[in-house]
Amino acid sequence: MGRSRRTIPEELLLLALDPATGTTAQPQSLDLGLAGAQLVELALAGRIAPDGDRIAVVMPRPTGDPTLDSALELLRRRGSPVRAVHWIGGPRLGLRQIYLAHLERCGMVHAVAGQMCGVLPTTRYQATDTAISRDIRARLDNAIRTGVPPDPRTAALAALAHAVGLGKHLYPGNEGRSSRSRLRDLIRHDPMGGLVAHAVMDVQNGVAAQPRRDRAALPQPQPAVRATASGAVPLQPRRTGAMARAAAH
């Protein structure tokens, strides 16, 4: 994969970067969104494919992008398709910092050291070329304004931006309500983007990782039994303290 095209994780992070503060909007959910963006990028590169609500590796050959190849290798080691919600909700946090460092190495942002309250060290990030961020934003604005189905990359980016809560950052206030609604509607234009966007939202909403149909099929705990001459008799809970005295009366 050449460097002539920005990846979806890179674009999502640049979209979240606030030029006024040098920080990213929605930092907690952005880690989840970046994990989902990696999946979409790997799918567009032909390395993985959706299998229901699972992700399967179909071509383990590296892409040439170190961050994507690290994710691809982890997926390959799983040995079998993994549910998107499991992957995105897994213990691989810190992607925001990884991608900020990656963008700095690529020359897309530069770090500005500072201090909070004159004591605590801080790091702010500024885009080195604001035209790139404007181009990313213009693609979303155009898709929202025209209603024309966007290309898969833009549709996936819109789906992930909505999933991590960037809508209120990009289109704030009451005047941005209709744009936020249209941003959400763009999810339907890219199946892979929609799959990972819904997985990101499921993780944030605390949806149980076990599918509903599987949870229903799980065996329910049965009461313990003891054998007697007349057959098996369920054991009753042992009464103690006040419960035993009450039973005696």
Side-chain angles (χ1 to χ4, degrees):
M1 180 182 295
R3 294 302 304 153
S4 59
R5 174 180 292 181
R6 296 180 300 272
T7 66
I8 294 176
E10 292 168 352
E11 292 197 328
L12 182 65
L13 187 54
L14 288 170
L15 198 62
L17 194 61
D18 188 333
T21 64
T23 60
T24 56
Q26 306 298 113
Q28 288 77 26
S29 57
L30 194 54
D31 270 339
L32 303 176
L34 289 170
Q38 286 184 322
L39 294 180
V40 177
E41 190 65 44
L42 287 170
L44 289 172
R47 299 318 197 261
I48 64 174
D51 180 8
D53 66 345
R54 296 175 183 270
I55 304 298
V57 175
V58 295
M59 185 190 298
R61 190 181 71 214
T63 66
D65 182 301
T67 52
L68 292 176
D69 289 340
S70 175
L72 179 62
E73 177 61 15
L74 289 174
L75 285 166
R76 186 192 66 79
R77 290 178 184 176
R78 293 291 185 99
S80 60
V82 58
R83 292 187 67 214
V85 71
H86 282 168
W87 175 259
I88 291 170
R92 297 173 337 284
L93 300 179
L95 279 178
R96 184 172 59 97
Q97 289 301 324
I98 290 173
Y99 266 99
L100 281 170
H102 167 75
L103 290 180
E104 188 177 14
R105 288 193 302 271
C106 293
M108 294 191 203
V109 302
H110 67 275
V112 180
Q115 287 185 331
M116 180 182 296
C117 302
V119 178
L120 299 176
T122 62
T123 303
R124 296 183 297 114
Y125 293 88
Q126 299 291 337
T128 55
D129 186 354
T130 57
I132 294 177
S133 299
R134 288 197 301 269
D135 172 70
I136 298 169
R137 175 65 182 270
R139 283 164 42 211
L140 286 187
D141 290 346
N142 186 64
I144 287 172
R145 184 180 65 255
T146 64
V148 176
D151 63 275
R153 286 183 170 276
T154 303
L157 181 63
L160 288 162
H162 166 71
V164 302
L166 286 182
K168 60 186 177 183
H169 166 70
L170 300 171
Y171 308 104
N174 289 332
E175 65 274 15
R177 183 174 299 174
S178 62
S179 294
R180 293 195 298 271
S181 177
R182 295 190 188 106
L183 181 70
R184 179 194 63 221
D185 292 342
L186 291 176
I187 287 180
R188 70 178 186 272
H189 292 298
D190 180 60
M192 185 66 183
L195 170 65
V196 298
H198 284 296
V200 168
M201 290 185 283
D202 283 348
V203 173
Q204 293 181 87
N205 294 331
V207 174
Q210 186 71 25
R212 185 182 303 274
R213 61 182 180 274
D214 291 346
R215 292 200 302 269
L218 289 175
Q220 299 301 312
Q222 300 297 323
V225 298
R226 60 180 173 84
T228 68
S230 59
V233 178
L235 291 177
Q236 299 299 320
R238 183 181 178 183
R239 296 185 176 94
T240 60
M243 291 178 62
R245 291 193 296 272
H249 294 289

